[in-house]
Amino acid sequence: MTDMTPEDRLRDEIDGSAKELLSLTQTLVRTPSTNPPGDVSAVALAAADQIRQLIPESNISMFETGPGITNVVAVIRSGRRGKRLVFSGHLDTYPIGQPGGWTLPPFSGELSSDGKYVYGRGVSDMKGGVAASVIAGRALARCKNDWSGDVVIALAGDEETMGTLGTAHLLTHVPDVGEADAMICGDAGSPLIVRTGEKGLLWLEVEASGKPAHGAHVHRGSNAIDRLMAALSKLKSLEELQVAAPREVEEAIQAAKPVSEELGGAGEAGVLGRVTVNIGTISGGTSTNLVAESASASLDIRLPMGVSTSTVIGEIGVMLDTADGIRYRVVRAYEPSWTPPEEEIARHGLAVTRLMVSEDAVVNMRVGASDARLFRAAGIPSVVIGLTPHNMGGPDEHVEVAELVQVAHIHALTAYRFLQA
């Protein structure tokens, strides 16, 4: 019988930890951490306790960056010089919405009757992914004679509200995170797709003012809603901006389309390659028979690679700076980000995914945001490889139990190849 390779040993460790992986996922789901209100202190303690039990040789630190916002960092050191790989995750989740919409209690962590699915708020975004990373870290800790450097598990307490007190803080103030050589994140996605980039974002608030009058005497007033509608029509034209994306990004999006749109929906490839403008909220006026004195709207503008926030802000200024009765402000903005597929962490991630899941696995952009953008902004090559979400953000959120094991395999083997190269 031939000797087992290091990768064989890692795979055996993951397979042998399947029960612990499911149990850890359920423990995290059963500890509520919805944002808002954003209090993750209980789940942070639970995560730290579980890591302490599963990886006793890890060095665990906790960082409270705001009321109820606690970040957990666990470091596994090989004892040899080498690179540093971070498994990044977040502990906060969406709110549960209307409890009556759930057929299973939202914090139950219950299994389906056939045992194939595990349910609960945040199981896909991203407590299941966190559990997979922890079990991958455990496997690496048990095989640490086979690699060099450090493995860091960084669990942020603030992601759903853009990560200022979570990953952004850790990157700035915790060297074991901020001085990483690469990052793997298990945020919601698919084991079939290695996400190496994501769109940028610009949130905009627009206010319109007018002159009130009776609705029968419109000639005496100026309608703020009319002004707002005109401004919004101009802003929707941002979707027609020309995009000069890097060729490798365009090629990756098109090559991934047959696989990615099966999961992300028809039209995803087009959305990844253009500016989108979503009018999220709108309000105005006080009565049907009055000319509106004020109106407002908020917009979520997403930017593809090849379009900067400064370009979009400049276009907004041209459209609105001289418009009568219109004021606006940028609430939040960040740039699109991309880790080239030839980067070592991306190459290993794709090769391992093709080995463990399917030869059809692809590299692609990500429509939604993740903390990977913060690592990329800090110059750290990053990939997102996570669980396929079912009903993410809605009632009866769930994931496949088998995918938990798949993602743990992918994280462990990708990290190993990166650290032993």
Side-chain angles (χ1 to χ4, degrees):
M1 185 175 180
T2 59
D3 292 336
M4 294 180 71
T5 67
E7 291 195 6
D8 289 335
R9 287 193 288 273
L10 283 170
R11 292 170 70 170
D12 272 7
E13 286 288 346
I14 299 293
D15 288 336
S17 300
K19 288 183 179 178
E20 288 94 335
L21 173 51
L22 176 58
S23 176
L24 174 57
T25 301
Q26 291 173 311
T27 295
L28 297 175
V29 169
R30 289 167 180 164
T31 311
S33 54
T34 57
N35 190 1
D39 187 343
V40 303
S41 53
V43 75
L45 287 171
D49 181 63
Q50 290 289 307
I51 294 170
R52 195 171 289 111
Q53 294 179 45
L54 291 165
I55 317 173
E57 60 268 60
S58 63
N59 298 317
I60 300 173
S61 303
M62 302 179 74
F63 304 89
E64 185 174 356
T65 53
I69 300 176
T70 305
N71 304 279
V72 180
V73 176
V75 183
I76 305 160
R77 304 197 190 280
S78 70
R80 292 175 296 280
R81 284 182 174 271
K83 291 177 284 189
R84 179 176 291 124
L85 185 285
V86 171
F87 290 122
S88 173
H90 67 85
L91 297 170
D92 56 336
T93 72
Y94 290 120
I96 64 170
Q98 294 298 322
W102 292 74
T103 61
L104 292 171
F107 302 115
S108 66
E110 288 187 30
L111 293 173
S112 58
S113 58
D114 59 7
K116 292 183 178 180
Y117 301 95
V118 57
Y119 285 75
R121 174 53 81 234
V123 70
S124 64
D125 183 15
M126 58 166 288
K127 291 180 175 180
V130 166
S133 289
V134 170
I135 293 300
R138 181 200 202 196
L140 289 160
R142 290 183 168 185
C143 300
K144 65 181 179 181
N145 289 332
D146 296 323
W147 52 273
S148 299
D150 301 332
V151 171
V152 181
I153 301 169
L155 306 182
D158 167 40
E159 191 265 358
E160 299 295 356
T161 53
M162 298 300 168
T164 304
L165 299 177
T167 293
H169 176 89
L170 297 178
L171 283 164
T172 303
H173 299 287
V174 181
D176 281 318
V177 178
E179 296 174 7
D181 296 293
M183 186 278 285
I184 300 171
C185 176
D187 212 341
S190 166
L192 264 176
I193 305 171
V194 180
R195 304 281 185 182
T196 63
E198 58 193 53
K199 296 182 78 174
L201 172 145
L202 190 149
W203 282 359
L204 188 71
E205 290 182 352
V206 183
E207 296 180 351
S209 59
K211 180 182 177 183
H214 192 280
H217 302 276
V218 294
H219 58 289
R220 292 179 176 271
S222 297
N223 195 309
I225 294 176
D226 288 343
R227 289 175 169 177
L228 179 64
M229 289 172 62
L232 295 179
S233 178
K234 291 178 181 179
L235 292 169
K236 284 293 286 184
S237 71
L238 290 169
E239 295 187 332
E240 300 167 10
L241 273 179
Q242 293 297 305
V243 177
R247 177 177 292 181
E248 68 177 9
V249 175
E250 293 180 337
E251 291 175 348
I253 291 171
Q254 291 307 310
K257 183 177 178 179
V259 174
S260 195
E261 289 202 351
E262 280 289 313
L263 299 161
E268 180 194 56
V271 166
L272 285 170
R274 66 178 177 87
V275 176
T276 60
V277 179
N278 177 63
I279 302 170
T281 68
I282 189 167
S283 63
T286 56
S287 178
T288 303
N289 63 341
L290 293 178
V291 174
E293 183 177 11
S294 63
S296 63
S298 62
L299 296 87
D300 181 348
I301 304 171
R302 302 286 172 139
L303 317 180
M305 289 294 298
V307 177
S308 67
T309 57
S310 62
T311 295
V312 172
I313 291 169
E315 292 289 333
I316 292 170
V318 170
M319 294 172 177
L320 302 185
D321 280 353
T322 60
D324 288 341
I326 294 294
R327 294 181 300 167
Y328 65 90
R329 71 183 185 100
V330 175
V331 178
R332 182 171 284 137
Y334 59 78
E335 305 297 333
S337 65
W338 175 252
T339 293
E342 62 268 20
E343 280 283 351
E344 195 177 351
I345 192 66
R347 286 191 293 104
H348 291 318
L350 183 60
V352 168
T353 300
R354 287 177 171 171
L355 172 69
M356 298 304 304
V357 184
S358 170
E359 281 292 329
D360 294 331
V362 292
V363 166
N364 200 8
M365 292 279 291
R366 193 170 192 264
V367 175
S370 78
D371 278 351
R373 77 186 192 282
L374 299 172
F375 281 89
R376 295 189 192 107
I380 300 169
S382 301
V383 297
V384 178
I385 310 171
L387 298 157
T388 305
H390 302 278
N391 295 348
M392 183 175 72
D396 292 341
E397 180 180 351
H398 61 284
V399 297
E400 292 184 35
V401 172
E403 276 198 5
L404 288 169
V405 179
Q406 275 187 333
V407 171
H409 274 298
I410 294 167
H411 286 198
L413 293 181
T414 301
Y416 165 73
R417 292 187 181 188
F418 181 79
L419 293 171
Q420 62 90 44

